[in-house]
Amino acid sequence: MISDMQKWTPNVASIIEHAKNIYPEQEVVSRMVSGEIHKTNYKEVCIRSRKLASALEKDGYKKGDVLATLALNTYRHLEMYYGISGMGAITHTLNFRLHPEQAVYIINHAEDKIIFVETPFIPMMEALKDQLGCVEKYIILCDQSEMPETDLKNAISYEEYIESGDENYEWPAMDDDAACGLCYTSGTTGNPKGVLYAHKSNILHAQAALTGLTISPDESILMVVPLFHVLAWGTPYFAPMFGLKLVMPGMQMEGEPLYDLIEKEEVTLAFGVPTVWMGLLSYCRDNNKILNSVKNTVIGGSALSLAILKEFDEVHDVNVIQGWGMTEMSPLGTSNFLTEEMKKMSKEDRYAVQLKQGRPMYGIELKVVDDLGNELPKDGESQGHLLVRGPWVLQKYFKAEKDAVDKDGWFDTGDISVLDQDGYMTIKDRAKDVIKSGGEWISSIDLENAAVGHPEVAEACVVGIPHPKWDERPILFIVTNSGEPIEKQSILDFLESKVAKWWLPDEIIFLKELPHGATGKLQKFELRDEYTNYYMEK
Ligand code: AMP
């Protein structure tokens, strides 16, 4: 029997309309390219999003057109999230750290018709424009008075463009499961793959994030996670949904400007990847600064280390909520929020729980299987391939013919994990990064986390390298705080009490910096390729 309830075919623009009606004056703060702080509110963002949607329609753009952003975290990018998707087009967020070849591939594959370009990225677009036949127009994110000289096709300033739009524009109804946004994976092998999100999946994901991350109504949120990657973990949707103050750092992600913004805007909750927090924490450490207003930080994208967790907790009294997810999951899957039970634990026991990637949010199912696909017990020990299923997990990649999931809807995340009796999931490795030594597995993540606990170690990366006797053995790459090599033995002594003896790396190599990809993740394959013959030739 079909229910008597209303049919729900939502438009994400309903979120910004809700914020305008209920929290009109709530602040939206952005650091602009110039470094200046710009302040607006949800009412203004909503009206300007309507104007953008209307201007696009008047210009002939339609539902289903793919329009790209090459932009920073500012109020204009937020308006594009609503203005583009709200009129039925698809907001395709481009990562400005992409290798030019990948950017060309992605733009052509998506068939982007417009690219909204932040002024610092104009040279990048000018260099690529001749290879981007699909792009009809470039909208430059500035005032008309700031419009630079450029030979980009039909270039126009954003402010001039939206001026022609109607501020009373009415959002169209969406079809069931209508597409809303597009983001490409930052794949390290082969071409990047697109994930086409729905209005419905984005709204469900945002609602789940509010509860899953235990967000309270008075937060002032710092969105360091970029709007160009995986929907900034849902923040551009759930912040206006709940009337939260939104603070966006623009281009300046280094320790000092982030600290200043946090203090000035009394940020209570900050979202970012570990590398950003390492910069902030080291700035605070070197300058005797304390994070006064921040109560919680959500960390994800890479594994949280004990060193970061401890420093936030012990020095700044900031609770860390670890989140795990991926582009294919909109992105959030699990969250490790603080429970009353955890508050009663000894610090060491609590840390041990907080280093797990967390429990699945309602809607997401997890299972771990062996190489043959047999489900493994949730016993905290059995490690295998992590599969996920849920309403904000993809069914197939953009323009792919085949599904990316099995017949029962399970998607293989490529992560190697353990599930336990309490519902927690722990990531041990990416399947491709796991180290097989003498038939046993070494977790590169566990070894890296142990190494960064050493007081002289700023960053660590562990890679499995072919070995004549053991199949593979780890090499530990280290960046020290001073940038200079230190006594290898002091690192081995430190690790000895933390990991099994046979996990100890056979070699430690000091580097000035580690290779990071476009979203801040370690590019282990670069080191693996460079050192692949290291043990064989020894
Ligand atoms: P992306 O699609 O670029 O967001 O990358 C997704 C991948 O990042 C996941 O499959 C994990 O391997 C990794 N990842 C994300 N969050 C975490 C986390 N909290 N701990 C460990 N790995 C993570």
Side-chain angles (χ1 to χ4, degrees), residues 299-343:
I299 300 188
S302 302
L304 167 69
S305 69
L306 181 61
I308 293 186
L309 174 60
K310 256 184 146 169
E311 192 161 348
F312 268 123
D313 184 49
E314 293 176 0
V315 180
H316 300 280
D317 197 19
V318 170
N319 173 53
V320 178
I321 301 171
Q322 180 164 198
W324 163 86
M326 57 195 317
T327 311
E328 289 86 338
M329 301 177 68
S330 309
L332 292 171
T334 66
S335 152
N336 197 337
F337 53 85
L338 192 64
T339 63
E340 288 305 314
E341 202 184 333
M342 280 155 77
K343 288 182 197 162

Side-chain angles (χ1 to χ4, degrees), residues 305-478:
S305 69
L306 181 61
I308 293 186
L309 174 60
K310 256 184 146 169
E311 192 161 348
F312 268 123
D313 184 49
E314 293 176 0
V315 180
H316 300 280
D317 197 19
V318 170
N319 173 53
V320 178
I321 301 171
Q322 180 164 198
W324 163 86
M326 57 195 317
T327 311
E328 289 86 338
M329 301 177 68
S330 309
L332 292 171
T334 66
S335 152
N336 197 337
F337 53 85
L338 192 64
T339 63
E340 288 305 314
E341 202 184 333
M342 280 155 77
K343 288 182 197 162
K344 290 182 205 138
M345 291 176 177
S346 70
K347 218 189 247 186
E348 282 61 37
D349 288 351
R350 171 163 59 82
Y351 287 165
V353 179
Q354 286 183 297
L355 287 176
K356 299 177 183 184
Q357 273 63 25
R359 291 160 152 166
M361 297 170 177
Y362 168 71
I364 292 293
E365 293 173 84
L366 304 178
K367 76 172 174 179
V368 167
V369 301
D370 65 15
D371 288 344
L372 300 174
N374 304 309
E375 186 165 358
L376 295 170
K378 298 179 168 71
D379 57 7
E381 282 175 10
S382 305
Q383 142 172 342
H385 304 273
L386 178 66
L387 311 191
V388 294
R389 184 164 75 171
W392 54 89
V393 177
L394 92 171
Q395 178 75 21
K396 66 178 192 71
Y397 288 102
F398 186 46
K399 295 187 177 173
E401 277 170 17
K402 283 202 210 117
D403 280 352
V405 298
D406 71 15
K407 66 176 182 9
D408 299 316
W410 291 100
F411 173 73
D412 186 342
T413 62
D415 285 331
I416 299 295
S417 308
V418 168
L419 298 175
D420 69 23
Q421 304 83 338
D422 301 320
Y424 284 90
M425 184 274 285
T426 306
I427 301 259
K428 291 290 174 189
D429 245 316
R430 289 293 291 166
K432 59 183 172 27
D433 294 333
V434 88
I435 303 165
K436 289 222 172 86
S437 172
E440 303 272 1
W441 284 4
I442 296 176
S443 160
S444 66
I445 293 185
D446 286 354
L447 205 46
E448 284 157 8
N449 280 350
V452 289
H454 187 289
E456 297 296 320
V457 174
E459 221 186 337
C461 174
V462 173
V463 172
I465 298 294
H467 189 280
K469 178 163 177 208
W470 298 109
D471 215 3
E472 279 183 342
R473 288 295 298 157
I475 294 186
L476 169 60
F477 296 91
I478 281 185

Side-chain angles (χ1 to χ4, degrees), residues 41-68:
N41 57 37
Y42 284 130
K43 181 175 164 209
E44 283 302 311
V45 169
C46 178
I47 288 172
R48 285 167 52 88
S49 306
R50 287 182 194 163
K51 289 176 77 169
L52 170 59
S54 159
L56 287 167
E57 262 189 22
K58 284 186 185 169
D59 202 13
Y61 292 96
K62 303 179 301 301
K63 279 185 172 176
D65 284 340
V66 184
L67 312 182

